[in-house]
Amino acid sequence: MSDPAIAALNSLLRGTSIDDHDEALKLANSAIKAAKGNPADLTTAQHTRVVALVKLDRFDDALRAIAEGGAALDKACVIEKAYALYKTGELEAAEQLLESTGVNNRGMKHLAAQIAYRAEKFDKAAELYQWMAENVEDAMYGEENDLRINILATYSQLEMQGKGWAVSEEHKKLSREELEVFETAYNAACGSIAQGDFAKAAFLFKRARDLCEASEDLSEEDKKSELAPIIVQQAYVATKLGNLEEAAKFHEEVVPADITDASTKAIAQANALILKSESNPYMAQRLADTLPVVIGNDRLFEEQATIFCRNKYIIELQAQKFAGVKSKTAKILSTEAEPTISSSKCDLGALNAAAASELQTGKEALRRMLPLLESRPTDVGLLLTVIQLYIQLQNPAQALNLLEAFFKRLETATESDNADVRFSPGLVALAVALYRQQGRHSAVRSELAKAAAHWQSKQKAASSGDSLLREAGIELLRSTHPSDLAAAGEAFTHLVAAQPDDRTATAGLIASFATSDFTKVEPYLSTLSPVEKLTVGVDVSALLDAGVATLPVVAPQQSQGKKRAREDDETGEQKQQQHQAAKKQRRKRKLPKDYDPAKKPDPERWLPLRDRSSYRPKGRKGKQRAQAATQGGYVKGDEETLELAGGAGSVKVEKASGGGGGGGGAKKKKKGKK
């Protein structure tokens, strides 16, 4: 005959439902004492105790009870143990436990999806939830609604992580039924925040709040608990939209005691502190230090924790605590030497640079940051900070040199993750922008082609490079080179395979192969809008009669240097008319007033006045000067005759003057006595 305690426990377990978990725990403890020596009853009693402890949220006690029960109980309580580990924040241990035993039933799949969600492995969680939504043979009543709520929450987190490509456009659309439930409306609003559509998020949060307040299935306490995170999100969205007064009113409505989630409470307090706009940085730091530190299963997600950490360091920088920020950020960065584009690590690199430069800007900041870049050449956050400073100093060439050197280091590395960083969409977009600024269009196409080839080599149907593939394909289509068109076609083929409903990718594929490979184009022609639909309402005859509109061609301006500026464009006819007009308007030559056409001009008019035969000097001295001045003429004086050699005759020459020269025979003037 069985013990009364064991019989009472068995009677309880035969019930359809158990609501009094304290009573179940009490009976289980009594049954454990009475079942000594009976392994089957003992295991049942211990299992019941573990379940009761989990239901009472006593997860640490549940784990201790499982450890005390031995191997048999450990094998029987796999789901309970995994759930207790999950609730205590030991996500890695819970995930390993499920993987070791195998996720072979629907309940374990639900738990595995929750663990993956809390571990921020949202792609894995979405895959599990989607599988359960498509396989509903063994689903419980009402499970479909819960699945849709969890799927929307997972999609919102994927958007937050920048993995919106993992969510198809079909799943992003909301049905009318989903807008009738406040949980799905809330999750859809969070997805709008991730997409940057704050106006839509404000509408959806208001919808979720109205539905929650009007719900008849929730008690007043449950309503307060559910409304608290909605109001906190409403305040955040109002702040992002610039409605600070409205955001302050929302924060006044929040009652911290109504918030059961520790992370939500910390976020509400932090956002309220920011709205105060404390001008004193030292007081702001003291207030920030009062914010609660969230640990365990309620801890913040990485994106939220990154914002908290960044705000803390910024406040410390404003309080002039440069050494502290520099040492703390450098310590964190030293643990990860490999390059990464994680926002948390990039933020730390920029904050470390700001602390090292003591918030200086311009050349002084560069002088202090360049040595840091030499010691941490793979720090993407520091690299982008230095590049930004060069751009602000109007030196984009040096910024591009730094970026190209960084690319070369990553290309020579052997790690595969480095290639993902090298061709990350953000860095490729930065390189393309700098190339375009310098007019290097061939370099733009080359960079995009290499990036497209990298992301096409990924085995996944969709990846973070899909947005880059789309832009690369569009840019390569502008080229007329066959190799560029082929690269564009390969990029669009990859996109169409990943997302068949992407009409942009389909149109790009057709445009790429239209002139080279019609067989690849033909299957997709039916997906394009027919010409008749596009031209409906267009009067083709009127367009032909009006002619084709062309823009005026503007000639490029030449630099104003030694060469003359180029003249404005004129037609040849206008130039010819102006030239003829200039000929007709030639000025007539002026003639002297006493000009007589019948009188013959003086033939000596081109000679100097003194050389003319009509010249007569005035006065006695003038005549003597005229005789003394030779002006190339003959001067009378003493002459002598010289006989030429060989009897050729004789010539008369003037005698040399005795005065004037340095060795002449003229008498020297005597010096007077001193």
Side-chain angles (χ1 to χ4, degrees):
M1 185 174 180
S2 63
D3 189 272
I6 297 176
L9 179 61
N10 291 333
S11 176
L12 177 67
L13 294 177
R14 282 194 295 268
T16 56
S17 62
I18 301 174
D19 297 327
D20 193 349
H21 303 296
D22 289 317
E23 180 66 20
L25 179 61
K26 183 179 178 181
L27 292 175
N29 288 331
S30 300
I32 290 171
K33 294 178 182 179
K36 298 295 184 180
N38 189 346
D41 291 341
L42 180 61
T43 302
T44 301
Q46 289 175 333
H47 193 178
T48 303
R49 181 176 65 171
V50 170
V51 173
L53 289 172
V54 170
K55 292 289 186 180
L56 293 170
D57 293 343
R58 294 169 58 179
F59 304 110
D60 292 326
D61 293 338
L63 290 173
R64 280 193 294 270
I66 294 172
E68 293 171 358
L73 182 62
D74 190 76
K75 184 177 181 180
C77 298
V78 172
I79 294 182
E80 290 81 0
K81 183 178 180 180
Y83 185 75
L85 290 170
Y86 155 68
K87 295 298 288 185
T88 54
E90 299 182 29
L91 304 177
E92 186 175 353
E95 186 178 10
Q96 290 177 355
L97 177 61
L98 289 180
E99 289 178 353
S100 63
T101 57
V103 184
N104 49 20
N105 59 59
R106 198 172 187 86
M108 296 183 75
K109 287 186 183 296
H110 271 286
L111 181 56
Q114 291 182 39
I115 294 171
Y117 181 89
R118 200 62 190 85
E120 303 189 42
K121 299 178 180 180
F122 302 116
D123 47 356
K124 181 179 179 181
E127 183 180 352
L128 288 169
Y129 282 131
Q130 195 62 40
W131 184 91
M132 287 185 284
E134 295 172 356
N135 299 270
V136 295
E137 294 82 7
D138 56 345
M140 296 179 62
Y141 176 76
E143 184 181 345
E144 182 181 358
N145 184 49
D146 293 339
L147 280 174
R148 186 56 186 165
I149 293 172
N150 293 337
I151 287 173
L152 279 177
T154 306
Y155 288 166
S156 299
Q157 292 291 355
L158 284 171
E159 291 281 0
M160 287 287 185
Q161 282 188 335
K163 296 180 179 179
W165 46 266
V167 185
S168 64
E169 294 297 329
E170 180 182 357
H171 291 146
K172 290 181 181 180
K173 296 178 181 178
L174 291 175
S175 63
R176 190 173 186 84
E177 292 78 11
E178 291 169 345
L179 292 177
E180 298 298 329
V181 182
F182 79 90
E183 292 97 337
T184 52
Y186 175 84
N187 289 335
C190 293
S192 298
I193 289 178
Q195 295 171 2
D197 193 349
F198 296 104
K200 183 179 179 181
F203 167 77
L204 290 173
F205 279 130
K206 186 178 185 304
R207 176 71 176 171
R209 182 174 181 177
D210 294 341
L211 291 171
C212 183
E213 290 175 343
S215 176
E216 298 178 355
D217 299 332
L218 299 174
S219 64
E220 290 300 323
E221 292 298 324
D222 291 338
K223 282 184 180 180
K224 290 180 180 179
S225 177
E226 296 289 349
L227 283 173
I230 297 176
I231 298 174
V232 171
Q233 292 284 51
Q234 281 186 301
Y236 171 77
V237 171
T239 304
K240 297 296 289 185
L241 291 173
N243 303 326
L244 301 183
E245 295 181 0
E246 184 180 2
K249 291 180 181 178
F250 283 131
H251 277 294
E252 291 175 359
E253 297 179 22
V254 176
V255 180
D258 295 339
I259 305 177
T260 58
D261 185 61
S263 60
T264 303
K265 184 179 293 186
I267 292 171
Q269 294 177 357
N271 290 347
L273 175 61
I274 292 173
L275 280 177
K276 291 182 179 179
S277 301
E278 179 60 52
S279 59
N280 187 338
Y282 302 99
M283 182 59 69
Q285 184 186 6
R286 293 191 62 182
L287 292 174
D289 291 339
T290 62
L291 295 175
V293 179
V294 186
I295 59 175
N297 196 48
D298 290 335
R299 66 180 181 271
L300 299 168
F301 286 107
E302 183 182 1
E303 182 71 20
Q304 297 168 332
T306 298
I307 296 174
F308 264 70
C309 183
R310 183 176 62 208
N311 290 345
K312 177 184 177 182
Y313 287 141
I314 289 174
I315 292 175
E316 290 181 3
L317 287 174
Q318 292 175 343
Q320 306 293 311
K321 296 188 176 181
F322 304 121
V325 175
K326 182 179 178 181
S327 62
K328 286 184 283 189
T329 53
K331 184 177 180 180
I332 299 173
L333 290 170
S334 63
T335 60
E336 187 171 352
E338 295 299 324
T340 176
I341 55 173
S342 169
S343 60
S344 58
K345 297 299 186 294
C346 290
D347 289 344
L348 288 177
L351 290 168
N352 180 265
S357 64
E358 298 183 355
L359 297 182
Q360 297 293 323
T361 59
K363 294 183 178 179
E364 178 61 24
L366 273 177
R367 186 182 66 81
R368 301 189 184 189
M369 290 183 192
L370 288 176
L372 289 177
L373 189 60
E374 293 179 359
S375 61
R376 301 203 307 268
T378 58
D379 189 340
V380 177
L382 177 59
L383 173 72
L384 294 177
T385 304
V386 174
I387 288 175
Q388 181 65 27
L389 287 174
Y390 273 122
I391 293 174
Q392 290 178 350
L393 292 173
Q394 304 297 322
N395 192 357
Q398 187 61 29
L400 184 57
N401 291 338
L402 278 178
L403 187 61
E404 288 178 336
F406 177 73
F407 284 166
K408 288 180 180 178
R409 282 194 295 271
L410 296 183
E411 289 171 357
T412 55
T414 57
E415 292 80 0
S416 60
D417 292 341
N418 287 354
D420 290 345
V421 175
R422 161 65 182 88
F423 295 109
S424 60
L427 292 179
V428 172
L430 175 60
V432 168
L434 292 174
Y435 282 135
R436 281 178 176 165
Q437 188 179 18
Q438 297 184 5
R440 297 169 60 180
H441 300 291
S442 60
V444 169
R445 290 191 291 270
S446 175
E447 178 68 20
L448 290 174
K450 290 190 292 184
H454 167 75
W455 290 111
Q456 288 172 36
S457 64
K458 293 295 181 179
Q459 298 298 322
K460 295 182 180 179
S463 66
S464 59
D466 284 357
S467 60
L468 189 147
L469 283 176
R470 183 176 290 103
E471 297 302 322
I474 294 172
E475 178 64 29
L476 292 172
L477 275 178
R478 297 190 175 99
S479 173
T480 58
H481 200 279
S483 61
D484 291 338
L485 294 177
E490 294 298 329
F492 285 124
T493 302
H494 183 89
L495 290 173
V496 170
Q499 297 183 359
D501 298 333
D502 191 342
R503 300 186 67 182
T504 302
T506 304
L509 188 150
I510 295 173
S512 302
F513 294 117
T515 58
S516 59
D517 194 346
F518 187 75
T519 57
K520 293 183 178 180
V521 172
E522 193 172 6
Y524 301 100
L525 291 177
S526 59
T527 61
L528 294 180
S529 300
V531 178
E532 293 77 10
K533 183 179 179 180
L534 296 174
T535 58
V536 63
V538 177
D539 191 346
V540 179
S541 300
L543 289 176
L544 292 174
D545 294 339
V548 180
T550 58
L551 295 174
V553 179
V554 180
Q557 294 183 355
Q558 294 181 349
S559 58
Q560 298 288 343
K562 295 182 178 180
K563 296 181 179 180
R564 298 178 59 185
R566 185 175 180 178
E567 298 177 355
D568 296 335
D569 292 338
E570 294 174 347
T571 61
E573 184 177 355
Q574 290 175 339
K575 288 184 177 181
Q576 187 176 3
Q577 291 177 355
Q578 291 180 359
H579 184 64
Q580 292 177 354
K583 285 184 176 181
K584 293 179 181 179
Q585 295 177 1
R586 282 183 177 177
R587 189 178 60 179
K588 295 181 179 181
R589 294 181 178 180
K590 293 184 178 181
L591 298 174
K593 294 181 180 180
D594 56 349
Y595 174 72
D596 186 2
K599 186 177 180 181
K600 185 178 181 180
D602 185 5
E604 296 181 352
R605 64 184 183 277
W606 307 113
L607 298 176
L609 185 61
R610 292 182 178 182
D611 293 344
R612 299 180 187 179
S613 59
S614 60
Y615 175 71
R616 297 292 183 268
K618 298 180 180 180
R620 180 179 177 185
K621 292 183 178 180
K623 293 179 179 179
Q624 292 177 353
R625 283 197 298 270
Q627 292 176 357
T630 61
Q631 289 288 329
Y634 172 73
V635 180
K636 292 183 179 181
D638 297 335
E639 297 177 351
E640 63 178 340
T641 302
L642 295 178
E643 297 293 337
L644 298 177
S650 61
V651 293
K652 292 182 178 181
V653 297
E654 184 180 1
K655 289 184 179 180
S657 173
K667 295 181 179 179
K668 295 182 180 179
K669 186 177 181 182
K670 294 182 180 180
K671 296 181 179 180
K673 293 182 180 180
K674 293 183 179 180

